Amino acid sequence: MAIEIVQVQPSVGLSKMAVSQTHGEDSPYFAGWKAYDENPYHETNNPSGVIQMGLAENQVSFDMLEEYLETNLESTNWGQKVSGFRENALFQDYHGLLSFRKAMASFMEQVRGGKAKFNPDRVVLTAGATAANELLTFILADPGDALLVPTPYYPGFDRDLRWRTGVQIVPIHCDSSNGFQITPEALEAAYDHATKMNIKVRGVLITNPSNPLGATVQRKVLEEILEFVTRKNIHLVSDEIYSGSAFCADEFVSIAEVLESRNYKDSERCHIVYSLSKDLGLPGFRVGTVYSYNDQVVTTARRMSSFTLISSQTQFLLASMLSDTDFTQKYIKINRERLKKRYEMIVNGLKKAGIECLKGNAGLFCWMNLSPYLEEPTIKSELAIWNTIMHEVRLNISPGSSCHCSEPGWFRVCFANMSEETLEVALSRIHAFIKERKQVL
């Protein structure tokens, strides 16, 4: 017989972190996920359900991964060596498997077209990019300090960077006048604002390619940011988890490439976050990395990574896959082509409905502009139209305000986590909604 536990108002206290609101669960970004979970779309079982367009997940090339694993089952399953199972089952070194760190470094080089080199000894393994960003925040800043982050930014950063670390985010306000690119003036304004608030700034964190913009950061902008952090004597974290999802390799410039061209001058303040969740479409494997040019950061990150390890079985499997350069080169090329095709499909479909998007060249989403269809240019009006789209049109998209965008009316719309047929259904729903909206306004 099951014992029923009746929950009452707890009389025993919890930590400040446990009761903190900085996790960000009250954001529309997470509310949209809840609405989807309660009524998920299925083409046959629930065709009127909510279509998930708030999840940046890459499924367009999953067939290639499945085919590889089926063809190379022996090499990814310990082969003929029973001792291989024993070695990996007992493996406990938080440095990670050397074979996997070498394979990750090689894959990071391939994704960047060989324009930057990575040393396996500087690769620190973490359980995903979420853990990597939090780990770096713990290392670079103390509670109460701040990181400058350009807006709009990934809503999960409110959780990843702030919740457990006690570090603050000070926004670098960017706008649509220049495609939301970061400017020296915006950097200085954010830094000055923090200084006036008596907040110590410890670094700048960027995503390149940008989430949620779906666009790469220009080389000139990277150089300006590097000059800024050097002058202020602070750190630069470049989250590059979508680097292999740039539709054209030539359009993506890594901070690693900039540093290499400068003979690694000022590199000790630079750190890169990478993951296999987006480019390889393996979020469930929880594989991330911190790559730092600072020896002390590498040492400390490796010590702290004992709290966020990747299973040796996962490392073994992926070391085998990523070491097969014929496969990885083919995958990177085809994945880019498929993402570009899918991006063009959604952007052209939205354009036919009378909706414009920011010009993008990377990622698993587009940055959609619904500002002409707001009743008034306010966040309140943005959330009102989002609520309608969520509950009546039944599409989960992420409002710009959840990304701290300074201009109401922008939305992040994901396109790579569904079939083309489902995307067509989503576009048809948007068309019908806009047609009705035009009659009302």
Side-chain angles (χ1 to χ4, degrees), residues 265-337:
K265 181 183 178 184
D266 303 315
S267 62
E268 74 282 353
R269 67 185 69 256
C270 297
H271 325 280
I272 295 172
V273 169
Y274 189 60
S275 163
L276 298 182
S277 296
K278 309 303 181 181
D279 291 347
L280 212 57
L282 296 173
F285 276 31
R286 308 310 305 151
V287 176
T289 66
V290 168
Y291 189 91
S292 177
Y293 296 88
N294 185 306
D295 292 343
Q296 190 172 356
V297 170
V298 171
T299 299
T300 307
R302 192 155 281 144
R303 290 170 180 164
M304 293 181 71
S305 70
S306 59
F307 295 100
T308 174
L309 298 176
I310 306 168
S311 76
S312 55
Q313 183 179 18
T314 298
Q315 293 183 56
F316 181 90
L317 185 154
L318 292 176
S320 176
M321 179 187 291
L322 297 184
S323 297
D324 187 338
T325 55
D326 288 339
F327 168 74
T328 53
Q329 288 174 2
K330 177 183 176 183
Y331 176 90
I332 292 170
K333 179 178 182 296
I334 293 177
N335 183 58
R336 291 188 196 277
E337 293 170 351

Side-chain angles (χ1 to χ4, degrees), residues 219-233:
R219 185 187 190 101
K220 177 177 178 291
V221 174
L222 290 174
E223 291 171 344
E224 289 172 344
I225 296 172
L226 185 55
E227 188 277 330
F228 173 81
V229 297
T230 301
R231 181 161 43 84
K232 300 295 186 182
N233 195 28

Side-chain angles (χ1 to χ4, degrees), residues 370-399:
L370 290 185
S371 62
Y373 302 100
L374 301 184
E375 292 183 358
E376 53 186 23
T378 62
I379 291 178
K380 181 180 179 180
S381 186
E382 174 187 281
L383 292 177
I385 197 172
W386 168 78
N387 191 62
T388 300
I389 292 172
M390 172 63 65
H391 295 102
E392 296 180 24
V393 186
R394 296 181 302 283
L395 301 175
N396 175 30
I397 61 177
S398 304

Side-chain angles (χ1 to χ4, degrees), residues 128-392:
T130 293
N133 277 311
E134 186 190 53
L135 186 150
L136 269 177
T137 305
F138 269 121
I139 294 171
L140 304 182
D142 293 313
D145 292 344
L147 295 177
L148 306 183
V149 182
T151 64
Y153 62 76
Y154 165 55
F157 280 160
D158 288 327
R159 168 200 63 202
D160 303 351
L161 307 180
R162 299 190 310 159
W163 183 35
R164 299 199 300 181
T165 65
V167 171
Q168 303 181 63
I169 293 177
V170 173
I172 303 168
H173 291 293
C174 306
D175 60 59
S176 60
S177 64
N178 68 341
F180 295 96
Q181 287 281 346
I182 307 160
T183 65
E185 292 78 15
L187 285 164
E188 290 289 352
Y191 190 91
D192 290 346
H193 174 73
T195 302
K196 290 176 183 177
M197 298 291 289
N198 201 30
I199 300 172
K200 187 173 184 178
V201 176
R202 302 306 295 265
V204 174
L205 185 147
I206 63 172
T207 57
N208 181 28
S210 168
N211 176 10
L213 300 179
T216 55
V217 180
Q218 299 167 5
R219 185 187 190 101
K220 177 177 178 291
V221 174
L222 290 174
E223 291 171 344
E224 289 172 344
I225 296 172
L226 185 55
E227 188 277 330
F228 173 81
V229 297
T230 301
R231 181 161 43 84
K232 300 295 186 182
N233 195 28
I234 57 178
H235 294 270
L236 171 59
V237 178
S238 183
D239 183 331
E240 301 184 357
I241 65 173
Y242 292 98
S243 51
S245 301
F247 309 148
C248 178
D250 292 340
E251 294 187 12
F252 170 72
V253 178
S254 170
I255 192 64
E257 185 180 342
V258 175
L259 291 173
E260 199 163 313
S261 69
R262 295 160 55 100
N263 199 28
Y264 300 103
K265 181 183 178 184
D266 303 315
S267 62
E268 74 282 353
R269 67 185 69 256
C270 297
H271 325 280
I272 295 172
V273 169
Y274 189 60
S275 163
L276 298 182
S277 296
K278 309 303 181 181
D279 291 347
L280 212 57
L282 296 173
F285 276 31
R286 308 310 305 151
V287 176
T289 66
V290 168
Y291 189 91
S292 177
Y293 296 88
N294 185 306
D295 292 343
Q296 190 172 356
V297 170
V298 171
T299 299
T300 307
R302 192 155 281 144
R303 290 170 180 164
M304 293 181 71
S305 70
S306 59
F307 295 100
T308 174
L309 298 176
I310 306 168
S311 76
S312 55
Q313 183 179 18
T314 298
Q315 293 183 56
F316 181 90
L317 185 154
L318 292 176
S320 176
M321 179 187 291
L322 297 184
S323 297
D324 187 338
T325 55
D326 288 339
F327 168 74
T328 53
Q329 288 174 2
K330 177 183 176 183
Y331 176 90
I332 292 170
K333 179 178 182 296
I334 293 177
N335 183 58
R336 291 188 196 277
E337 293 170 351
R338 290 180 177 180
L339 286 175
K340 183 178 181 180
K341 177 185 176 185
R342 188 66 68 87
Y343 171 81
E344 291 173 346
M345 177 181 174
I346 189 170
V347 169
N348 291 335
L350 291 171
K351 192 170 185 177
K352 290 178 181 177
I355 302 172
E356 295 295 330
C357 296
L358 181 76
K359 185 177 180 181
N361 60 358
L364 315 177
F365 32 75
C366 62
W367 189 235
M368 178 177 72
N369 184 11
L370 290 185
S371 62
Y373 302 100
L374 301 184
E375 292 183 358
E376 53 186 23
T378 62
I379 291 178
K380 181 180 179 180
S381 186
E382 174 187 281
L383 292 177
I385 197 172
W386 168 78
N387 191 62
T388 300
I389 292 172
M390 172 63 65
H391 295 102
E392 296 180 24

Side-chain angles (χ1 to χ4, degrees), residues 60-76:
V60 300
S61 300
F62 207 78
D63 60 309
M64 297 179 67
L65 301 177
E66 292 176 315
E67 181 183 349
Y68 176 86
L69 291 174
E70 289 172 3
T71 306
N72 299 273
L73 188 61
E74 184 176 294
S75 64
T76 56

